[in-house]
Amino acid sequence: LALLFQMSNVGKFYPSRALAAPVVRPSSVTIASSSFLTSSNNGGDDDEEHDKVTAAIISNPVEATWWARNYGLSGRGTSSVSKATAASSKATTTILETPNCNSIHAIEFAPVHPYNMAVASGPRVLLYNPSGNSSLYRAMNRKKGLKQNDNDEEEDEKTKAYPSLTSNATVPPDKTIPFPGPVYCISFRPDGRLLAIGGHDGVIRIVDTHTKSIMRSFTAQGNVRSIKWLRDGKHFLSSGDDAIINLWDVSQPSRTEPVLMWTGHGDSVRDILVVHLKEENLARSSKKRKKQQHQQEQGERYLMLTGSYDHSIRVWDLKSSLVLLNSMEQNNNDEKAIDATHMLLTIIHHGAPVEALIQMTTNPREIVSAGGTSMKLFDIISNSLVRENDSSHSKTITSLALVSMVGSPSVGDEQRQERLLSTGLDGFLRIYDPMTFHCLHGSKVPAPLLCVAASPFVLNNASSERNNNNNRLLVTGSTDGFLSIRQRPRPATSQAYKREPRGGTYSY
C-alpha cells in the first residue's frame, strides 16, 4: 500500500497521440520507470534501500559485469561479482575538477586522430589530448593508488561523493580558449582543425585549435544552443533561443550574415541532427511509399532534423536547400539570408520539450529523441513511432550517446552491437538496449549530469589493432564542474605488441 501511495504522487505521463503507430513497451521497463520515480520522493535511509532494490531489478548481471570490466562502471545495487570485477578491472577512471567548478554544458571529440577532447565549462573551452605524451594521458594511465603530488589527499576528500571512482587527478588542460560568457555548444570541423563555439552572447566564433586564434565571428540572435558542421567543411548550422536555424559560410571572408535560414519552430531549438541516407537505407520503405515518392527517393537523401522546446521535431530537406542556395548565389549578389522554410518535409511530435537527438548507426533511418523523462524511437522516412520508453529517469534527460560493444563475449568481434546511454538531472547514467529500450544497467553521481560523450568508433583492418579505439573513452560532465573520464582497457593483443626500436637509437 505504501508503494502504491508513492506511485500515485508521481503524476502521469501521457505520450503524444499524433502518430498512430504500434508502440512496443515492455512491462519490465514500465516497472523500472515507476520504481525510480518513487525513489526520488522519499528521504532518509529508506532511499538507499529502495535504490538498491530498484537497481538490482533493472541491472542485467551480464551487462553489469561487461560495463564493470570495460569501464569500471558498477552501479548501486549491482551484484558483488560486478563490483569485484570493477575493482580488479584494468579500466581506469579519472576525475577532473574544472576551473572555478563551472557547469559543464558540452563535451565533444574530434572526428580524426588524435581525437582531441573539447569541454565547454563556464566561460571557457578546455582542450585535452587523450593520447600521446599529454598530461591527461599520463593521469589516465597512472597506476592505482600512486600519488601524483602531496595534494592528492586533499583532492581525495573532494571525491568522497564519487565512491565508484578509483583514481583521481588534477590535470591542467593542454589549451584554454576564453569566452565572454557561458559556452553552451561546441563542434569540431570534420578535419578536427577548427572548432565552432557558441554561447550566451549569441556570437559564434571559429577557433583554430592549434593556435587558439579566432578565425571568424558570426552574430546570431539570442543564445546559441547547437552547432553542427556539414560534410564540406565550409558550412555549419546553428540554432538557439530565437527558434531560427541558420546556415553559415566560412569560405566567404567578407560575409557575416547567414546564407540560409529556416523558421517555423515556436520555441528554442535545442539540438540539430544532420542525417545522410544512402539508397540501401531508403529501399526499406513500404511499397505504398515507394510508389508515391519513387522519384524523390532516387539517389541519396541529405536531411536536417531539429528538436525544439515546442515538443516537435522538424525534418528538412537539406540537399534541396543547398541546391537552392547555389542557384540563388549565381543570380543574386544580395547578402540577405535565403529563406528555405518551404523545404520542410514533415513534423514529428514528441510530446515533451526535446533536449537531444541521436541517429542509430545500425539503422540510419531511425533516430532517438529525448524530451522530459521519455525517449522515443522514430523512423524518419515513414514518419512513424517505432517504440517509446518513459525511461528510468525521474528528472529531465539532458544528453544521449551510443557506445559500441564490439569484442564482448555475448556479441563477438565480427558483429557490432550498440548500447544507448542517457544522462539526466537526477544524476543517473542509464544504459539501454536500443532494440528493446530495456534499461540494462546504470550508475549515479550526487550532482545532475548535463552531458555524456564517447570517443569515436574506429575499427581498423589489422586484427592486432582491433578494438584499440572503439569508444575508448566515456566522459560525463556535471553541474558541479567535475569531469569523469573512464578509459576502456586495451586488448591483450595490443598490450603484448611492442614496437621494435629504430637502429642507431639508445633503445636499439
Side-chain angles (χ1 to χ4, degrees):
L1 292 176
L3 180 60
L4 292 175
F5 177 75
Q6 295 169 6
M7 293 176 61
S8 63
N9 294 333
V10 175
K12 298 180 180 179
F13 175 78
Y14 297 94
S16 174
R17 303 297 182 184
L19 298 175
V23 178
V24 179
R25 300 188 63 180
S27 57
S28 59
V29 176
T30 307
I31 295 174
S33 174
S34 61
S35 300
F36 271 101
L37 288 173
T38 55
S39 66
S40 62
N41 294 333
N42 298 334
D45 297 334
D46 294 337
D47 272 347
E48 298 180 0
E49 295 178 2
H50 187 73
D51 286 345
K52 290 180 180 180
V53 175
T54 307
I57 292 174
I58 66 173
S59 294
N60 186 302
V62 178
E63 290 283 330
T65 303
W66 189 90
W67 287 94
R69 181 187 303 110
N70 287 273
Y71 291 102
L73 190 65
S74 59
R76 292 187 300 175
T78 54
S79 62
S80 58
V81 177
S82 62
K83 291 183 179 180
T85 304
S88 61
S89 173
K90 295 182 180 180
T92 60
T93 304
T94 306
I95 181 169
L96 305 183
E97 184 180 3
T98 57
N100 300 328
C101 294
N102 296 120
S103 298
I104 300 174
H105 290 282
I107 303 171
E108 185 82 8
F109 281 93
V112 295
H113 186 79
Y115 310 109
N116 292 327
M117 180 177 64
V119 180
S121 173
R124 62 184 62 85
V125 176
L126 310 176
L127 295 178
Y128 296 93
N129 182 7
S131 61
N133 194 26
S134 63
S135 56
L136 177 61
Y137 181 82
R138 291 194 298 269
M140 291 189 302
N141 293 275
R142 190 162 47 118
K143 293 183 179 180
K144 298 181 181 180
L146 180 62
K147 291 186 178 181
Q148 188 178 18
N149 50 47
D150 296 337
N151 298 327
D152 275 0
E153 295 181 358
E154 298 179 1
E155 296 295 334
D156 290 339
E157 294 180 358
K158 297 180 181 179
T159 59
K160 286 182 179 180
Y162 298 84
S164 61
L165 300 178
T166 56
S167 62
N168 179 45
T170 301
V171 180
D174 297 330
K175 296 176 183 177
T176 301
I177 303 174
F179 203 78
V183 180
Y184 295 144
C185 55
I186 48 180
S187 179
F188 277 101
R189 200 171 69 167
D191 61 355
R193 180 66 184 266
L194 299 182
L195 180 68
I197 306 173
H200 179 71
D201 60 351
V203 178
I204 304 172
R205 293 170 174 83
I206 309 300
V207 181
D208 190 337
T209 57
H210 292 182
T211 62
K212 299 193 303 181
S213 59
I214 300 177
M215 309 299 295
R216 296 290 304 277
S217 295
F218 303 93
T219 303
Q221 300 177 6
N223 300 336
V224 181
R225 298 291 181 177
S226 180
I227 297 176
K228 289 293 185 299
W229 284 90
L230 299 188
R231 296 178 299 176
D232 56 6
K234 299 179 180 179
H235 300 88
F236 68 91
L237 298 160
S238 71
S239 64
D241 293 345
D242 57 355
I244 300 176
I245 304 99
N246 295 317
L247 179 69
W248 310 85
D249 190 353
V250 298
S251 63
Q252 301 181 17
S254 60
R255 188 181 182 98
T256 58
E257 297 293 328
V259 294
L260 280 178
M261 60 181 296
W262 296 265
T263 60
H265 280 291
D267 207 337
S268 174
V269 180
R270 305 290 293 191
D271 199 7
I272 301 175
L273 181 63
V274 178
V275 177
H276 180 215
L277 298 179
K278 299 181 180 180
E279 295 182 5
E280 55 267 21
N281 305 129
L282 296 171
R284 300 179 184 179
S285 58
S286 60
K287 295 182 179 180
K288 294 183 180 179
R289 193 172 184 84
K290 281 184 179 180
K291 294 181 180 179
Q292 295 175 358
Q293 300 182 354
H294 177 69
Q295 296 180 354
Q296 297 181 4
E297 292 185 353
Q298 290 180 353
E300 300 179 350
R301 297 286 294 273
Y302 204 29
L303 306 176
M304 176 182 65
L305 284 75
T306 55
S308 171
Y309 271 4
D310 62 0
H311 300 200
S312 70
I313 304 168
R314 293 177 179 254
V315 184
W316 314 83
D317 191 345
L318 187 57
K319 183 177 180 180
S320 300
S321 301
L322 295 177
V323 173
L324 174 64
L325 173 62
N326 294 332
S327 61
M328 294 293 290
E329 285 183 344
Q330 295 177 0
N331 302 327
N332 188 8
N333 295 326
D334 192 2
E335 293 187 358
K336 293 183 179 180
I338 302 173
D339 191 357
T341 307
H342 60 281
M343 295 297 177
L344 178 65
L345 297 178
T346 183
I347 300 177
I348 302 174
H349 297 279
H350 180 87
V354 180
E355 285 282 353
L357 300 172
I358 193 169
Q359 182 185 11
M360 303 301 298
T361 55
T362 53
N363 186 2
R365 292 165 42 124
E366 297 179 346
I367 61 103
V368 178
S369 63
T373 60
S374 65
M375 295 188 304
K376 297 185 179 182
L377 181 67
F378 295 98
D379 189 325
I380 58 178
I381 299 299
S382 61
N383 192 13
S384 61
L385 175 64
V386 180
R387 64 180 62 90
E388 66 174 328
N389 179 19
D390 290 347
S391 79
S392 299
H393 290 278
S394 60
K395 294 183 180 180
T396 302
I397 301 174
T398 55
S399 182
L400 299 173
L402 286 173
V403 172
S404 172
M405 295 187 69
V406 169
S408 65
S410 59
V411 178
D413 292 337
E414 300 301 330
Q415 301 179 7
R416 181 180 180 184
Q417 188 171 341
E418 294 175 327
R419 291 293 179 260
L420 178 65
L421 277 65
S422 67
T423 56
L425 295 179
D426 54 0
F428 277 99
L429 170 66
R430 291 295 175 204
I431 303 168
Y432 304 90
D433 184 356
M435 300 301 296
T436 60
F437 268 17
H438 283 172
C439 185
L440 303 175
H441 190 47
S443 181
K444 188 182 187 301
V445 297
L449 294 176
L450 296 180
C451 51
V452 59
S455 57
F457 176 87
V458 178
L459 187 60
N460 297 329
N461 294 329
S463 59
S464 61
E465 297 295 331
R466 187 181 296 271
N467 300 332
N468 279 5
N469 295 302
N470 293 341
N471 303 131
R472 186 170 63 92
L473 299 181
L474 178 62
V475 188
T476 57
S478 60
T479 57
D480 58 358
F482 282 98
L483 190 70
S484 175
I485 305 175
R486 300 180 181 275
Q487 181 180 214
R488 189 173 179 176
R490 296 183 182 274
T493 54
S494 62
Q495 291 178 353
Y497 173 77
K498 293 183 179 180
R499 180 178 299 178
E500 296 182 359
R502 184 168 54 90
T505 61
Y506 179 79
S507 301
Y508 181 81

